[in-house]
Amino acid sequence: AAVSWYDEFQRLYDTIPCVEVQALREHNDQVLHLSFSHSGCLFASCSKDCTVKIWSNELDISLQHSSNMRPYNWSYTQFSQFNSDDSLLLVSGVFVGPHNSSSGEIAVISMENFTLLSRVRNKPYDVFGCWLNETNLISGNLHRIGRITSCSVLWLNNAFQGIESENVNVVKRLFKIQNLNASTIRTVMVADCSRYDSPDLLLDYEEQLAASSTSTCPVFDLGSDSEEEEAKPKQTPEPAVQELPDDGGVTAEDGLQQFFDDIMEGRVRPAMTETELETKVAELFVRNRTKPPELNLLSTDSNSKTKYLIFTTGCLTYSPHQIGIKRILPHQMTTAGPVLGEERRSDEFFDSLDHVIDIHGHIIGMGLSPDHRYLYVNSRAWPRDCVISDPMQPPPIAEEIDLHVFDLKTMKEVKRALRAHRAYTPNEECFFIFLDVSRDFVASGAEDRHGYIWDRHYNICLAKLQHDNVVNSVAFSPVEQELLLTASDDTTIKVWRSPRAVRIQQARKPRPRKLLFSWLMNQKS
């Protein structure tokens, strides 16, 4: 939509929210997450001080309300999200417990009078939770089957749980998914497929490359770090739907019995470890007990009413290294019906994933574009040819953070990974770094004491935003992308505006000289 390169220069120079205009210091511990209301009038912040604070987004931002969650045995608040009409706020937190405890809870707060409406258990706590629609939210639960095998259950919950009638459900099971090699489902979010056909910005990188190859003039990719990098062929990993192996018609029961017979008679070579044995048995057991994936996931015929449930998962180790996608059909979007969901046959004990994207690295953040067409993923890469022999010992991870971009309509990676930000914590201490996407920009936190902003068109890093400690979360105003918030371990929330917005704001303020002149004139009269 650019008219000229001069206009593009003005846009990239003048509309980036890189000028600090305010620092909010009402939290007294690390600030972990920020979320705007859809109207842009309010935003919420979560912190290690175990409060969720609601702020009024005016010219000078002010604190409107603070809720302390310690009376509910919470250790801290970690995530929040407004529902679609901004009448309710979902707040996710972590329970007080042993160091290795993974239990959490989701609370729903009314924005009318800031009362607590309901609380829902959430395990593991880094499922976070999310809204499916105005009144229903998704939570998780985890059931251990073996030492490294488990089952994740995703539940649909009514935000208003104080219903007196015993005939009305307030909860319903959505999906039940088997986890192998100590992996679990985490970080759930919902993408609305109805927005795909009218995206705010179309990122068709392959077509751009095809067009540039036929051009006679040199084409400069502003996102490249060097000429050598551009010379290398780009290898885009093709995300693939998981398929169960075909054993030539052998049933899972026969395969499992044959496997046990082979073990007893010493025919399994080389000898399997206890972990490998558990994984193999779990795979054989689940083979004929899993509901097959939905067909035609990429079909657009029914996208108007379909939503995707997106989450991190894995199959090789406990660190999240895959993105799972499961279609949610219209009849599944209500708590009406049986509490345990649709009737299941004995051979449909588990639900399969409709699509899996392998990242080959530790996923530490995800965010959707405003039109829900593109998924942005923060990850720290594994070594190229690493082999995982023990699921409890994941590969070392890179300090550089890669920001991948996936088109949810085609399920393909459409941009080369954005880079600039860094993280330093090892696998076992790795934590989530929240990112956000506006119409033209992408922003992310980092462990190098900066927030970062990239341009979505050119893949270039536009700004570094200084803090005194780790930047955990960023959030663009949904109605004004020239306003950005950053939250940090330094206990502050910083407010950033573009140079253009700052000039406009200063022009509106009355000048002190004019005020003094008016006062003198009044004294004379």
Side-chain angles (χ1 to χ4, degrees), residues 148-205:
I148 58 168
T149 309
S150 63
C151 171
S152 287
V153 182
L154 296 172
W155 292 90
L156 186 64
N157 307 268
N158 195 312
F160 304 95
Q161 304 243 334
I163 296 177
E164 296 179 1
S165 171
E166 296 180 358
N167 299 320
V168 180
N169 286 344
V170 295
V171 64
K172 185 174 76 174
R173 187 174 66 192
L174 268 180
F175 304 117
K176 185 161 62 171
I177 298 168
Q178 186 198 45
N179 303 311
L180 299 175
N181 290 319
S183 65
T184 60
I185 286 178
R186 314 178 192 187
T187 320
V188 297
M189 60 178 59
V190 172
D192 186 352
C193 306
S194 65
R195 308 187 192 182
Y196 289 178
D197 292 327
S198 54
D200 298 329
L201 172 66
L202 193 60
L203 302 176
D204 200 341
Y205 195 49

Side-chain angles (χ1 to χ4, degrees), residues 462-511:
L462 299 173
K464 293 175 64 176
L465 311 175
Q466 178 73 50
H467 270 272
D468 294 330
N469 211 321
V470 172
V471 178
N472 296 306
S473 179
V474 296
F476 286 102
S477 167
V479 296
E480 182 190 0
Q481 68 173 359
E482 295 180 40
L483 168 62
L484 178 71
L485 307 174
T486 55
S488 172
D489 279 359
D490 63 16
T491 76
T492 66
I493 301 169
K494 289 191 176 182
V495 184
W496 308 83
R497 295 186 184 274
S498 67
R500 180 173 68 177
V502 171
R503 288 198 307 273
I504 294 172
Q505 185 175 342
Q506 290 174 343
R508 291 173 179 170
K509 292 182 178 180
R511 296 182 180 178

Side-chain angles (χ1 to χ4, degrees), residues 379-395:
S379 76
R380 295 173 62 184
W382 291 338
R384 183 180 297 274
D385 298 318
C386 66
V387 176
I388 300 174
S389 56
D390 183 356
M392 305 310 293
Q393 297 290 330

Side-chain angles (χ1 to χ4, degrees), residues 115-168:
T115 56
L116 183 63
L117 298 178
S118 60
R119 291 158 56 203
V120 176
R121 286 296 179 97
N122 192 40
K123 185 176 181 179
Y125 59 79
D126 49 4
V127 168
F128 294 120
C130 66
W131 291 104
L132 177 60
N133 49 42
E134 287 183 7
T135 58
N136 292 291
L137 60 99
I138 295 172
S139 65
N141 201 358
L142 184 66
H143 303 281
R144 294 290 176 187
I145 298 175
R147 191 175 73 89
I148 58 168
T149 309
S150 63
C151 171
S152 287
V153 182
L154 296 172
W155 292 90
L156 186 64
N157 307 268
N158 195 312
F160 304 95
Q161 304 243 334
I163 296 177
E164 296 179 1
S165 171
E166 296 180 358
N167 299 320
V168 180

Side-chain angles (χ1 to χ4, degrees), residues 33-68:
H33 185 256
L34 298 164
S35 65
F36 267 100
S37 64
H38 294 82
S39 68
C41 297
L42 301 172
F43 69 88
S45 58
C46 295
S47 169
K48 281 286 184 73
D49 65 14
C50 206
T51 66
V52 55
K53 298 186 187 298
I54 316 296
W55 307 79
S56 178
N57 181 27
E58 299 172 348
L59 200 58
D60 285 320
I61 292 171
S62 59
L63 181 62
Q64 189 167 342
H65 177 78
S66 180
S67 291
N68 181 15

Side-chain angles (χ1 to χ4, degrees), residues 448-462:
D448 57 12
R449 303 184 179 186
H450 289 88
Y452 288 83
I453 302 175
W454 293 265
D455 183 69
R456 289 182 67 192
H457 303 265
Y458 301 120
N459 278 18
I460 51 174
C461 182
L462 299 173

Side-chain angles (χ1 to χ4, degrees), residues 184-428:
T184 60
I185 286 178
R186 314 178 192 187
T187 320
V188 297
M189 60 178 59
V190 172
D192 186 352
C193 306
S194 65
R195 308 187 192 182
Y196 289 178
D197 292 327
S198 54
D200 298 329
L201 172 66
L202 193 60
L203 302 176
D204 200 341
Y205 195 49
E206 291 181 356
E207 285 193 9
Q208 293 177 26
L209 289 176
S212 65
S213 64
T214 59
S215 176
T216 56
C217 63
V219 177
F220 299 95
D221 187 338
L222 301 181
S224 63
D225 297 326
S226 65
E227 293 180 4
E228 290 76 16
E229 181 180 329
E230 278 302 294
K232 297 176 184 177
K234 181 177 182 293
Q235 295 183 352
T236 302
E238 285 291 327
V241 178
Q242 281 187 336
E243 295 182 358
L244 298 175
D246 183 7
D247 287 343
V250 177
T251 66
E253 286 77 7
D254 293 342
L256 190 59
Q257 185 60 52
Q258 182 65 50
F259 180 63
F260 284 136
D261 292 343
D262 290 343
I263 292 176
M264 297 303 294
E265 296 177 17
R267 290 196 296 266
V268 176
R269 292 288 184 269
M272 301 180 76
T273 65
E274 182 180 336
T275 297
E276 292 170 335
L277 179 61
E278 180 180 328
T279 300
K280 181 66 175 178
V281 170
E283 288 176 338
L284 288 170
F285 176 80
V286 80
R287 184 171 299 168
N288 278 4
R289 291 174 173 83
T290 300
K291 187 177 180 180
E294 297 286 345
L295 299 176
N296 300 322
L297 187 65
L298 303 183
S299 171
T300 57
D301 296 340
S302 58
N303 274 359
S304 58
K305 295 182 180 179
T306 301
K307 295 183 179 181
Y308 288 159
L309 183 63
I310 302 171
F311 45 84
T312 63
T313 181
C315 64
L316 302 174
T317 178
Y318 68 82
S319 63
H321 54 277
Q322 293 178 323
I323 298 166
I325 299 176
K326 187 70 181 169
R327 188 201 301 251
I328 306 176
L329 300 174
H331 72 274
Q332 297 174 311
M333 299 183 191
T334 172
T335 55
V339 170
L340 296 181
E342 303 170 13
E343 290 293 329
R344 290 170 177 266
R345 304 195 306 267
S346 59
D347 60 345
E348 293 185 349
F349 187 79
F350 294 108
D351 295 289
S352 61
L353 305 186
D354 295 332
H355 202 83
V356 175
I357 301 173
D358 199 293
I359 300 298
H360 195 75
H362 192 131
I363 300 170
I364 60 170
M366 293 198 303
L368 289 166
S369 60
D371 54 21
H372 287 207
R373 173 72 181 265
Y374 299 98
L375 178 67
Y376 287 73
V377 181
N378 266 336
S379 76
R380 295 173 62 184
W382 291 338
R384 183 180 297 274
D385 298 318
C386 66
V387 176
I388 300 174
S389 56
D390 183 356
M392 305 310 293
Q393 297 290 330
I397 50 179
E399 289 187 353
E400 295 81 10
I401 302 175
D402 294 330
L403 185 48
H404 302 275
V405 191
F406 296 95
D407 186 341
L408 293 178
K409 188 171 183 178
T410 63
M411 297 295 170
K412 293 183 178 180
E413 188 168 7
V414 292
K415 281 274 190 180
R416 185 184 58 255
L418 310 180
R419 289 178 179 170
H421 48 333
R422 302 176 73 87
Y424 307 109
T425 52
N427 258 314
E428 63 274 10

